[in-house]
Amino acid sequence: NAGVMQNPRHLVRRRGQEARLRCSPMKGHSHVYWYRQLPEEGLKFMVYLQKENIIDESGMPKERFSAEFPKEGPSILRIQQVVRGDSAAYFCASSPRGGSADTQYFGPGTRLTVL
Amino acid sequence: EDQVTQSPEALRLQEGESSSLNCSYTVSGLRGLFWYRQDPGKGPEFLFTLYSAGEEKEKERLKATLTKKESFLHITAPKPEDSATYLCAVQAEGSSASKIIFGSGTRLSIRP
């Protein structure tokens, strides 16, 4: 009964490179959420997706960031042309239904370091 | 604006010394309030969901309670393994589907 899986766990990129973070939700869950946790700060919502649909991207920066959750395969958070300020822990969560205070279960996170 | 404030920021207790963590929230309408535990370098681990004022839930040494303005996480006779950051989060009515807003957390340290 695997939980939410994220990979890689650690990712190092140089400024200007692209970062791709992957998230596989818990079995039976079709709703995925991405959060960012900056050092010494709380978790901040970025985007909420269902299969093949972006439901809410209000927390995602307008430029360089994109997310997808294809019909097959994991959800991907993509950061183009990374900058030092993108260094953070990125967490993915999943839930079975997506509404009415549906509990979100978190993965272990991907720690992105931009050199 | 929806807001979640946790206090204290950090709390150091002796093993066996009971205490409470506070989570105050301001939302237009509450769908649910969540408590998570986060260990260093790991993702948040789900503890409780509370839906309405007066509700209480317990798990081992932890008990969560909810009023219309705040929630408390009571820790009874804590052990060193209870040391972690405890996160409170709320889901507000009217917000898109399942977006939840997190507080900054309380770092709990239990000395043996």
Side-chain angles (χ1 to χ4, degrees), chain A residues 6-64:
Chain A
Q6 290 187 249
N7 65 81
R9 295 292 309 277
H10 300 274
L11 182 61
V12 179
R13 286 287 178 265
R14 296 191 182 279
R15 282 178 295 171
Q17 291 185 320
E18 178 180 287
R20 282 188 177 231
L21 288 61
R22 287 176 290 277
C23 168
S24 296
M26 286 179 72
K27 187 176 180 181
H29 289 193
S30 57
H31 301 261
V32 165
Y33 317 81
W34 286 93
Y35 292 81
R36 177 164 65 177
Q37 188 172 41
L38 293 166
E40 306 304 322
E41 290 189 19
L43 284 154
K44 295 285 193 280
F45 168 81
M46 297 182 74
V47 62
Y48 162 41
L49 310 103
Q50 294 179 34
K51 285 284 187 181
E52 299 185 278
N53 288 303
I54 297 175
I55 307 302
D56 180 359
E57 56 184 348
S58 59
M60 200 143 74
K62 294 285 186 283
E63 297 179 353
R64 302 188 298 107

Tab-separated table of all heavy atoms in Angstrom, chain A residues 6-64:
chain	number	residue	atom	x	y	z
A	6	GLN	N	7.476	10.575	-4.733
A	6	GLN	CA	8.051	11.685	-5.454
A	6	GLN	C	9.483	11.351	-5.844
A	6	GLN	O	10.215	10.734	-5.071
A	6	GLN	CB	8.064	12.962	-4.596
A	6	GLN	CG	6.691	13.543	-4.343
A	6	GLN	CD	6.755	14.886	-3.637
A	6	GLN	OE1	6.368	15.002	-2.480
A	6	GLN	NE2	7.241	15.908	-4.348
A	7	ASN	N	9.858	11.787	-7.021
A	7	ASN	CA	11.264	11.657	-7.409
A	7	ASN	C	11.641	12.753	-8.377
A	7	ASN	O	10.792	13.306	-9.052
A	7	ASN	CB	11.545	10.260	-7.989
A	7	ASN	CG	10.808	10.021	-9.295
A	7	ASN	OD1	11.246	10.456	-10.358
A	7	ASN	ND2	9.680	9.350	-9.214
A	8	PRO	N	12.921	13.143	-8.354
A	8	PRO	CA	13.921	12.640	-7.419
A	8	PRO	C	13.715	13.226	-6.023
A	8	PRO	O	12.958	14.174	-5.844
A	8	PRO	CB	15.234	13.137	-8.032
A	8	PRO	CG	14.853	14.416	-8.711
A	8	PRO	CD	13.460	14.181	-9.256
A	9	ARG	N	14.374	12.695	-5.037
A	9	ARG	CA	14.277	13.237	-3.687
A	9	ARG	C	15.139	14.495	-3.553
A	9	ARG	O	14.809	15.418	-2.810
A	9	ARG	CB	14.717	12.202	-2.662
A	9	ARG	CG	13.814	10.974	-2.601
A	9	ARG	CD	12.435	11.332	-2.038
A	9	ARG	NE	12.527	12.056	-0.796
A	9	ARG	CZ	12.691	11.487	0.384
A	9	ARG	NH1	12.789	10.182	0.486
A	9	ARG	NH2	12.745	12.231	1.466
A	10	HIS	N	16.226	14.511	-4.268
A	10	HIS	CA	17.119	15.673	-4.279
A	10	HIS	C	17.478	15.972	-5.732
A	10	HIS	O	17.737	15.062	-6.509
A	10	HIS	CB	18.396	15.407	-3.470
A	10	HIS	CG	18.130	15.093	-2.035
A	10	HIS	ND1	17.994	16.065	-1.066
A	10	HIS	CD2	17.958	13.908	-1.404
A	10	HIS	CE1	17.759	15.495	0.100
A	10	HIS	NE2	17.726	14.185	-0.072
A	11	LEU	N	17.481	17.266	-6.060
A	11	LEU	CA	17.775	17.679	-7.422
A	11	LEU	C	18.630	18.936	-7.366
A	11	LEU	O	18.264	19.914	-6.703
A	11	LEU	CB	16.472	17.949	-8.178
A	11	LEU	CG	16.576	18.345	-9.647
A	11	LEU	CD1	17.233	17.238	-10.457
A	11	LEU	CD2	15.190	18.648	-10.200
A	12	VAL	N	19.753	18.908	-8.066
A	12	VAL	CA	20.638	20.073	-8.124
A	12	VAL	C	20.670	20.562	-9.560
A	12	VAL	O	20.890	19.776	-10.488
A	12	VAL	CB	22.065	19.721	-7.651
A	12	VAL	CG1	22.967	20.955	-7.758
A	12	VAL	CG2	22.039	19.214	-6.221
A	13	ARG	N	20.418	21.833	-9.731
A	13	ARG	CA	20.432	22.439	-11.057
A	13	ARG	C	21.236	23.739	-11.009
A	13	ARG	O	21.288	24.413	-9.975
A	13	ARG	CB	19.008	22.756	-11.542
A	13	ARG	CG	18.221	21.531	-11.974
A	13	ARG	CD	18.724	21.006	-13.300
A	13	ARG	NE	18.043	19.793	-13.745
A	13	ARG	CZ	18.493	18.572	-13.518
A	13	ARG	NH1	19.598	18.382	-12.795
A	13	ARG	NH2	17.844	17.534	-13.983
A	14	ARG	N	21.835	24.087	-12.146
A	14	ARG	CA	22.501	25.383	-12.275
A	14	ARG	C	21.490	26.392	-12.799
A	14	ARG	O	20.516	26.023	-13.460
A	14	ARG	CB	23.684	25.277	-13.216
A	14	ARG	CG	24.769	24.353	-12.693
A	14	ARG	CD	26.049	24.463	-13.509
A	14	ARG	NE	27.051	23.539	-13.007
A	14	ARG	CZ	27.820	23.772	-11.951
A	14	ARG	NH1	27.693	24.921	-11.284
A	14	ARG	NH2	28.704	22.891	-11.565
A	15	ARG	N	21.714	27.639	-12.485
A	15	ARG	CA	20.835	28.697	-12.962
A	15	ARG	C	20.634	28.598	-14.471
A	15	ARG	O	21.583	28.395	-15.220
A	15	ARG	CB	21.399	30.067	-12.610
A	15	ARG	CG	21.194	30.472	-11.166
A	15	ARG	CD	21.818	31.814	-10.886
A	15	ARG	NE	23.269	31.760	-11.029
A	15	ARG	CZ	24.056	32.817	-11.011
A	15	ARG	NH1	23.551	34.028	-10.890
A	15	ARG	NH2	25.363	32.690	-11.122
A	16	GLY	N	19.386	28.717	-14.905
A	16	GLY	CA	19.075	28.651	-16.323
A	16	GLY	C	18.668	27.278	-16.817
A	16	GLY	O	18.117	27.156	-17.911
A	17	GLN	N	18.933	26.234	-16.025
A	17	GLN	CA	18.537	24.884	-16.430
A	17	GLN	C	17.065	24.644	-16.117
A	17	GLN	O	16.395	25.448	-15.477
A	17	GLN	CB	19.410	23.844	-15.729
A	17	GLN	CG	20.854	23.848	-16.191
A	17	GLN	CD	21.666	22.730	-15.561
A	17	GLN	OE1	21.515	22.421	-14.363
A	17	GLN	NE2	22.535	22.120	-16.351
A	18	GLU	N	16.582	23.492	-16.548
A	18	GLU	CA	15.199	23.105	-16.280
A	18	GLU	C	15.159	22.056	-15.179
A	18	GLU	O	16.043	21.204	-15.081
A	18	GLU	CB	14.558	22.532	-17.551
A	18	GLU	CG	13.133	22.068	-17.362
A	18	GLU	CD	12.525	21.509	-18.644
A	18	GLU	OE1	12.222	22.311	-19.553
A	18	GLU	OE2	12.349	20.279	-18.720
A	19	ALA	N	14.127	22.133	-14.354
A	19	ALA	CA	13.911	21.121	-13.314
A	19	ALA	C	12.576	20.445	-13.565
A	19	ALA	O	11.570	21.116	-13.837
A	19	ALA	CB	13.919	21.771	-11.937
A	20	ARG	N	12.572	19.129	-13.486
A	20	ARG	CA	11.334	18.347	-13.631
A	20	ARG	C	11.145	17.496	-12.382
A	20	ARG	O	11.986	16.659	-12.061
A	20	ARG	CB	11.400	17.446	-14.855
A	20	ARG	CG	11.165	18.189	-16.136
A	20	ARG	CD	11.034	17.227	-17.312
A	20	ARG	NE	10.742	17.959	-18.519
A	20	ARG	CZ	9.749	17.682	-19.347
A	20	ARG	NH1	8.951	16.673	-19.085
A	20	ARG	NH2	9.561	18.402	-20.418
A	21	LEU	N	10.032	17.716	-11.712
A	21	LEU	CA	9.722	17.004	-10.484
A	21	LEU	C	8.516	16.108	-10.759
A	21	LEU	O	7.528	16.554	-11.353
A	21	LEU	CB	9.390	17.988	-9.361
A	21	LEU	CG	10.536	18.813	-8.749
A	21	LEU	CD1	11.213	19.715	-9.768
A	21	LEU	CD2	10.016	19.643	-7.591
A	22	ARG	N	8.606	14.858	-10.296
A	22	ARG	CA	7.555	13.895	-10.588
A	22	ARG	C	6.834	13.441	-9.310
A	22	ARG	O	7.446	13.332	-8.248
A	22	ARG	CB	8.128	12.684	-11.312
A	22	ARG	CG	8.518	12.951	-12.759
A	22	ARG	CD	9.166	11.737	-13.394
A	22	ARG	NE	10.486	11.498	-12.838
A	22	ARG	CZ	11.580	12.128	-13.250
A	22	ARG	NH1	11.531	13.045	-14.182
A	22	ARG	NH2	12.750	11.830	-12.720
A	23	CYS	N	5.546	13.169	-9.482
A	23	CYS	CA	4.723	12.761	-8.345
A	23	CYS	C	3.751	11.676	-8.782
A	23	CYS	O	2.970	11.881	-9.718
A	23	CYS	CB	3.949	13.948	-7.797
A	23	CYS	SG	2.650	13.516	-6.607
A	24	SER	N	3.781	10.546	-8.101
A	24	SER	CA	2.799	9.489	-8.319
A	24	SER	C	1.872	9.453	-7.114
A	24	SER	O	2.332	9.221	-5.990
A	24	SER	CB	3.502	8.143	-8.498
A	24	SER	OG	4.302	8.153	-9.657
A	25	PRO	N	0.567	9.674	-7.323
A	25	PRO	CA	-0.356	9.726	-6.182
A	25	PRO	C	-0.561	8.341	-5.578
A	25	PRO	O	-0.159	7.321	-6.156
A	25	PRO	CB	-1.651	10.244	-6.806
A	25	PRO	CG	-1.565	9.850	-8.240
A	25	PRO	CD	-0.115	9.917	-8.598
A	26	MET	N	-1.206	8.337	-4.421
A	26	MET	CA	-1.570	7.074	-3.787
A	26	MET	C	-2.526	6.320	-4.704
A	26	MET	O	-3.291	6.925	-5.463
A	26	MET	CB	-2.253	7.325	-2.440
A	26	MET	CG	-1.310	7.759	-1.344
A	26	MET	SD	-2.160	8.076	0.214
A	26	MET	CE	-2.576	6.403	0.694
A	27	LYS	N	-2.513	5.012	-4.590
A	27	LYS	CA	-3.401	4.187	-5.392
A	27	LYS	C	-4.845	4.574	-5.111
A	27	LYS	O	-5.259	4.706	-3.956
A	27	LYS	CB	-3.183	2.708	-5.051
A	27	LYS	CG	-3.929	1.755	-5.949
A	27	LYS	CD	-3.590	0.315	-5.615
A	27	LYS	CE	-4.331	-0.654	-6.516
A	27	LYS	NZ	-4.022	-2.065	-6.195
A	28	GLY	N	-5.598	4.789	-6.199
A	28	GLY	CA	-7.002	5.150	-6.031
A	28	GLY	C	-7.249	6.646	-5.939
A	28	GLY	O	-8.397	7.082	-5.900
A	29	HIS	N	-6.186	7.437	-5.877
A	29	HIS	CA	-6.332	8.888	-5.801
A	29	HIS	C	-6.178	9.499	-7.200
A	29	HIS	O	-5.231	9.177	-7.906
A	29	HIS	CB	-5.271	9.489	-4.885
A	29	HIS	CG	-5.483	9.197	-3.437
A	29	HIS	ND1	-4.787	9.853	-2.428
A	29	HIS	CD2	-6.304	8.337	-2.803
A	29	HIS	CE1	-5.185	9.397	-1.268
A	29	HIS	NE2	-6.110	8.467	-1.469
A	30	SER	N	-7.099	10.413	-7.536
A	30	SER	CA	-7.023	11.030	-8.849
A	30	SER	C	-6.847	12.548	-8.761
A	30	SER	O	-6.980	13.246	-9.767
A	30	SER	CB	-8.288	10.709	-9.656
A	30	SER	OG	-9.433	11.147	-8.953
A	31	HIS	N	-6.583	13.059	-7.550
A	31	HIS	CA	-6.417	14.492	-7.348
A	31	HIS	C	-5.022	14.734	-6.798
A	31	HIS	O	-4.610	14.091	-5.828
A	31	HIS	CB	-7.458	15.024	-6.379
A	31	HIS	CG	-8.861	14.788	-6.841
A	31	HIS	ND1	-9.602	15.772	-7.460
A	31	HIS	CD2	-9.641	13.691	-6.803
A	31	HIS	CE1	-10.785	15.277	-7.771
A	31	HIS	NE2	-10.830	14.026	-7.398
A	32	VAL	N	-4.312	15.660	-7.414
A	32	VAL	CA	-2.926	15.929	-7.040
A	32	VAL	C	-2.757	17.417	-6.772
A	32	VAL	O	-3.314	18.267	-7.474
A	32	VAL	CB	-1.957	15.483	-8.163
A	32	VAL	CG1	-0.576	16.078	-7.962
A	32	VAL	CG2	-1.861	13.965	-8.196
A	33	TYR	N	-1.951	17.738	-5.763
A	33	TYR	CA	-1.679	19.114	-5.364
A	33	TYR	C	-0.169	19.281	-5.210
A	33	TYR	O	0.504	18.382	-4.720
A	33	TYR	CB	-2.341	19.439	-4.010
A	33	TYR	CG	-3.735	18.904	-3.883
A	33	TYR	CD1	-3.952	17.572	-3.538
A	33	TYR	CD2	-4.837	19.714	-4.114
A	33	TYR	CE1	-5.228	17.056	-3.436
A	33	TYR	CE2	-6.125	19.198	-4.007
A	33	TYR	CZ	-6.307	17.873	-3.679
A	33	TYR	OH	-7.584	17.361	-3.577
A	34	TRP	N	0.324	20.436	-5.605
A	34	TRP	CA	1.741	20.748	-5.415
A	34	TRP	C	1.862	21.935	-4.454
A	34	TRP	O	1.121	22.921	-4.560
A	34	TRP	CB	2.414	21.104	-6.731
A	34	TRP	CG	2.670	19.928	-7.629
A	34	TRP	CD1	1.864	19.451	-8.611
A	34	TRP	CD2	3.828	19.085	-7.625
A	34	TRP	NE1	2.438	18.373	-9.226
A	34	TRP	CE2	3.649	18.122	-8.634
A	34	TRP	CE3	5.011	19.055	-6.875
A	34	TRP	CZ2	4.595	17.139	-8.919
A	34	TRP	CZ3	5.950	18.089	-7.156
A	34	TRP	CH2	5.743	17.137	-8.169
A	35	TYR	N	2.825	21.796	-3.529
A	35	TYR	CA	3.117	22.852	-2.562
A	35	TYR	C	4.615	23.129	-2.578
A	35	TYR	O	5.418	22.259	-2.882
A	35	TYR	CB	2.721	22.413	-1.136
A	35	TYR	CG	1.240	22.270	-0.907
A	35	TYR	CD1	0.560	21.115	-1.299
A	35	TYR	CD2	0.511	23.284	-0.292
A	35	TYR	CE1	-0.804	20.985	-1.080
A	35	TYR	CE2	-0.849	23.157	-0.071
A	35	TYR	CZ	-1.498	22.005	-0.476
A	35	TYR	OH	-2.848	21.878	-0.261
A	36	ARG	N	4.965	24.347	-2.188
A	36	ARG	CA	6.378	24.711	-2.067
A	36	ARG	C	6.643	25.144	-0.634
A	36	ARG	O	5.822	25.863	-0.035
A	36	ARG	CB	6.720	25.843	-3.032
A	36	ARG	CG	8.159	26.331	-2.933
A	36	ARG	CD	8.573	27.151	-4.129
A	36	ARG	NE	7.847	28.394	-4.269
A	36	ARG	CZ	8.107	29.284	-5.222
A	36	ARG	NH1	9.068	29.064	-6.093
A	36	ARG	NH2	7.406	30.386	-5.305
A	37	GLN	N	7.769	24.715	-0.095
A	37	GLN	CA	8.163	25.101	1.258
A	37	GLN	C	9.547	25.729	1.179
A	37	GLN	O	10.542	25.034	0.961
A	37	GLN	CB	8.168	23.892	2.196
A	37	GLN	CG	8.386	24.251	3.659
A	37	GLN	CD	8.187	23.044	4.570
A	37	GLN	OE1	8.612	21.932	4.262
A	37	GLN	NE2	7.523	23.244	5.700
A	38	LEU	N	9.582	27.044	1.336
A	38	LEU	CA	10.859	27.750	1.351
A	38	LEU	C	11.490	27.601	2.733
A	38	LEU	O	10.770	27.382	3.719
A	38	LEU	CB	10.644	29.226	1.020
A	38	LEU	CG	10.181	29.500	-0.425
A	38	LEU	CD1	9.678	30.918	-0.566
A	38	LEU	CD2	11.307	29.232	-1.400
A	39	PRO	N	12.798	27.722	2.818
A	39	PRO	CA	13.465	27.593	4.120
A	39	PRO	C	12.845	28.507	5.161
A	39	PRO	O	12.624	29.688	4.902
A	39	PRO	CB	14.916	27.996	3.801
A	39	PRO	CG	15.093	27.695	2.357
A	39	PRO	CD	13.750	27.965	1.730
A	40	GLU	N	12.556	27.964	6.314
A	40	GLU	CA	11.988	28.710	7.440
A	40	GLU	C	10.606	29.295	7.143
A	40	GLU	O	10.158	30.204	7.834
A	40	GLU	CB	12.934	29.839	7.890
A	40	GLU	CG	14.344	29.376	8.213
A	40	GLU	CD	14.372	28.281	9.279
A	40	GLU	OE1	13.567	28.353	10.239
A	40	GLU	OE2	15.181	27.334	9.148
A	41	GLU	N	9.914	28.784	6.124
A	41	GLU	CA	8.564	29.257	5.830
A	41	GLU	C	7.599	28.084	5.799
A	41	GLU	O	7.987	26.924	5.753
A	41	GLU	CB	8.532	29.991	4.489
A	41	GLU	CG	9.252	31.324	4.499
A	41	GLU	CD	8.995	32.105	3.230
A	41	GLU	OE1	8.017	31.817	2.526
A	41	GLU	OE2	9.795	33.018	2.944
A	42	GLY	N	6.329	28.396	5.801
A	42	GLY	CA	5.307	27.348	5.756
A	42	GLY	C	5.071	26.859	4.351
A	42	GLY	O	5.589	27.392	3.375
A	43	LEU	N	4.260	25.823	4.244
A	43	LEU	CA	3.879	25.275	2.955
A	43	LEU	C	2.938	26.229	2.234
A	43	LEU	O	1.965	26.704	2.812
A	43	LEU	CB	3.169	23.938	3.149
A	43	LEU	CG	4.056	22.750	3.481
A	43	LEU	CD1	3.290	21.712	4.250
A	43	LEU	CD2	4.622	22.163	2.204
A	44	LYS	N	3.226	26.459	0.949
A	44	LYS	CA	2.378	27.354	0.155
A	44	LYS	C	1.813	26.578	-1.036
A	44	LYS	O	2.553	25.947	-1.798
A	44	LYS	CB	3.185	28.553	-0.357
A	44	LYS	CG	3.680	29.468	0.749
A	44	LYS	CD	2.583	30.318	1.325
A	44	LYS	CE	3.113	31.437	2.201
A	44	LYS	NZ	3.471	31.015	3.526
A	45	PHE	N	0.505	26.653	-1.207
A	45	PHE	CA	-0.178	25.987	-2.302
A	45	PHE	C	0.284	26.542	-3.640
A	45	PHE	O	0.456	27.754	-3.801
A	45	PHE	CB	-1.681	26.188	-2.157
A	45	PHE	CG	-2.483	25.804	-3.364
A	45	PHE	CD1	-2.814	24.471	-3.598
A	45	PHE	CD2	-2.911	26.768	-4.268
A	45	PHE	CE1	-3.563	24.128	-4.716
A	45	PHE	CE2	-3.652	26.434	-5.380
A	45	PHE	CZ	-3.976	25.106	-5.602
A	46	MET	N	0.495	25.648	-4.601
A	46	MET	CA	0.870	26.091	-5.944
A	46	MET	C	-0.229	25.771	-6.958
A	46	MET	O	-0.751	26.652	-7.629
A	46	MET	CB	2.177	25.425	-6.380
A	46	MET	CG	3.375	25.769	-5.527
A	46	MET	SD	4.866	24.988	-6.127
A	46	MET	CE	5.205	25.967	-7.584
A	47	VAL	N	-0.577	24.472	-7.063
A	47	VAL	CA	-1.488	24.068	-8.127
A	47	VAL	C	-2.228	22.804	-7.735
A	47	VAL	O	-1.712	21.980	-6.972
A	47	VAL	CB	-0.703	23.873	-9.452
A	47	VAL	CG1	0.336	22.773	-9.312
A	47	VAL	CG2	-1.620	23.593	-10.624
A	48	TYR	N	-3.454	22.685	-8.267
A	48	TYR	CA	-4.303	21.513	-8.021
A	48	TYR	C	-4.722	20.950	-9.376
A	48	TYR	O	-5.214	21.677	-10.231
A	48	TYR	CB	-5.495	21.943	-7.177
A	48	TYR	CG	-6.697	21.014	-7.163
A	48	TYR	CD1	-6.557	19.632	-7.100
A	48	TYR	CD2	-7.978	21.541	-7.177
A	48	TYR	CE1	-7.660	18.797	-7.071
A	48	TYR	CE2	-9.088	20.720	-7.145
A	48	TYR	CZ	-8.926	19.343	-7.096
A	48	TYR	OH	-10.020	18.523	-7.062
A	49	LEU	N	-4.501	19.649	-9.550
A	49	LEU	CA	-4.799	19.014	-10.825
A	49	LEU	C	-5.605	17.741	-10.628
A	49	LEU	O	-5.464	17.044	-9.616
A	49	LEU	CB	-3.505	18.615	-11.554
A	49	LEU	CG	-2.402	19.643	-11.716
A	49	LEU	CD1	-1.283	19.390	-10.721
A	49	LEU	CD2	-1.852	19.617	-13.113
A	50	GLN	N	-6.461	17.462	-11.600
A	50	GLN	CA	-7.039	16.145	-11.757
A	50	GLN	C	-6.464	15.581	-13.051
A	50	GLN	O	-5.785	16.283	-13.790
A	50	GLN	CB	-8.554	16.223	-11.842
A	50	GLN	CG	-9.212	16.693	-10.566
A	50	GLN	CD	-10.724	16.767	-10.709
A	50	GLN	OE1	-11.329	15.957	-11.418
A	50	GLN	NE2	-11.335	17.720	-10.055
A	51	LYS	N	-6.781	14.351	-13.331
A	51	LYS	CA	-6.253	13.739	-14.557
A	51	LYS	C	-6.580	14.618	-15.770
A	51	LYS	O	-7.744	14.927	-16.036
A	51	LYS	CB	-6.874	12.363	-14.765
A	51	LYS	CG	-6.316	11.293	-13.850
A	51	LYS	CD	-4.950	10.821	-14.293
A	51	LYS	CE	-4.476	9.633	-13.454
A	51	LYS	NZ	-3.127	9.186	-13.861
A	52	GLU	N	-5.537	15.065	-16.442
A	52	GLU	CA	-5.619	15.825	-17.697
A	52	GLU	C	-6.212	17.225	-17.520
A	52	GLU	O	-6.476	17.906	-18.513
A	52	GLU	CB	-6.422	15.054	-18.758
A	52	GLU	CG	-5.811	13.712	-19.118
A	52	GLU	CD	-6.543	13.030	-20.258
A	52	GLU	OE1	-7.577	12.390	-19.977
A	52	GLU	OE2	-6.084	13.148	-21.409
A	53	ASN	N	-6.447	17.663	-16.305
A	53	ASN	CA	-7.018	18.996	-16.079
A	53	ASN	C	-6.304	19.743	-14.965
A	53	ASN	O	-5.987	19.167	-13.933
A	53	ASN	CB	-8.498	18.886	-15.695
A	53	ASN	CG	-9.360	18.496	-16.881
A	53	ASN	OD1	-9.370	19.169	-17.899
A	53	ASN	ND2	-10.079	17.398	-16.732
A	54	ILE	N	-6.082	21.038	-15.199
A	54	ILE	CA	-5.625	21.916	-14.132
A	54	ILE	C	-6.860	22.583	-13.540
A	54	ILE	O	-7.591	23.271	-14.245
A	54	ILE	CB	-4.643	22.981	-14.658
A	54	ILE	CG1	-3.382	22.313	-15.196
A	54	ILE	CG2	-4.293	23.983	-13.552
A	54	ILE	CD1	-2.407	23.285	-15.845
A	55	ILE	N	-7.106	22.362	-12.261
A	55	ILE	CA	-8.308	22.882	-11.620
A	55	ILE	C	-8.045	24.273	-11.031
A	55	ILE	O	-8.878	25.163	-11.126
A	55	ILE	CB	-8.806	21.944	-10.514
A	55	ILE	CG1	-8.970	20.525	-11.063
A	55	ILE	CG2	-10.093	22.467	-9.903
A	55	ILE	CD1	-9.916	20.424	-12.241
A	56	ASP	N	-6.903	24.441	-10.398
A	56	ASP	CA	-6.584	25.711	-9.744
A	56	ASP	C	-5.077	25.898	-9.775
A	56	ASP	O	-4.357	25.097	-9.191
A	56	ASP	CB	-7.102	25.693	-8.298
A	56	ASP	CG	-6.815	26.990	-7.546
A	56	ASP	OD1	-6.194	27.915	-8.111
A	56	ASP	OD2	-7.216	27.074	-6.363
A	57	GLU	N	-4.615	26.917	-10.449
A	57	GLU	CA	-3.176	27.212	-10.498
A	57	GLU	C	-2.893	28.586	-9.906
A	57	GLU	O	-1.914	29.244	-10.249
A	57	GLU	CB	-2.629	27.101	-11.912
A	57	GLU	CG	-3.339	27.964	-12.936
A	57	GLU	CD	-2.804	27.745	-14.345
A	57	GLU	OE1	-1.756	27.104	-14.509
A	57	GLU	OE2	-3.464	28.226	-15.291
A	58	SER	N	-3.757	29.030	-9.014
A	58	SER	CA	-3.653	30.385	-8.483
A	58	SER	C	-2.388	30.627	-7.659
A	58	SER	O	-1.976	31.767	-7.480
A	58	SER	CB	-4.880	30.709	-7.624
A	58	SER	OG	-4.989	29.793	-6.550
A	59	GLY	N	-1.760	29.578	-7.172
A	59	GLY	CA	-0.563	29.751	-6.363
A	59	GLY	C	0.729	29.586	-7.138
A	59	GLY	O	1.819	29.689	-6.573
A	60	MET	N	0.618	29.375	-8.404
A	60	MET	CA	1.810	29.111	-9.209
A	60	MET	C	2.289	30.389	-9.876
A	60	MET	O	1.478	31.140	-10.444
A	60	MET	CB	1.499	28.056	-10.267
A	60	MET	CG	2.728	27.382	-10.804
A	60	MET	SD	2.471	25.661	-11.115
A	60	MET	CE	1.474	25.798	-12.581
A	61	PRO	N	3.597	30.661	-9.845
A	61	PRO	CA	4.120	31.832	-10.554
A	61	PRO	C	3.720	31.775	-12.029
A	61	PRO	O	3.649	30.714	-12.636
A	61	PRO	CB	5.636	31.692	-10.381
A	61	PRO	CG	5.803	30.889	-9.136
A	61	PRO	CD	4.660	29.925	-9.129
A	62	LYS	N	3.428	32.957	-12.590
A	62	LYS	CA	2.908	33.017	-13.958
A	62	LYS	C	3.956	32.607	-14.984
A	62	LYS	O	3.618	32.102	-16.065
A	62	LYS	CB	2.441	34.447	-14.255
A	62	LYS	CG	1.258	34.892	-13.425
A	62	LYS	CD	-0.021	34.245	-13.935
A	62	LYS	CE	-1.249	34.780	-13.229
A	62	LYS	NZ	-1.428	34.236	-11.895
A	63	GLU	N	5.206	32.828	-14.680
A	63	GLU	CA	6.262	32.524	-15.644
A	63	GLU	C	7.140	31.383	-15.140
A	63	GLU	O	7.324	31.201	-13.945
A	63	GLU	CB	7.121	33.776	-15.883
A	63	GLU	CG	6.341	34.916	-16.501
A	63	GLU	CD	7.188	36.161	-16.714
A	63	GLU	OE1	8.354	36.186	-16.270
A	63	GLU	OE2	6.674	37.118	-17.326
A	64	ARG	N	7.628	30.611	-16.051
A	64	ARG	CA	8.634	29.550	-15.852
A	64	ARG	C	8.070	28.283	-15.212
A	64	ARG	O	8.714	27.240	-15.294
A	64	ARG	CB	9.839	30.058	-15.034
A	64	ARG	CG	10.559	31.246	-15.637
A	64	ARG	CD	11.846	31.571	-14.886
A	64	ARG	NE	11.585	31.931	-13.492
A	64	ARG	CZ	11.863	31.162	-12.448
A	64	ARG	NH1	12.407	29.954	-12.618
A	64	ARG	NH2	11.611	31.587	-11.222
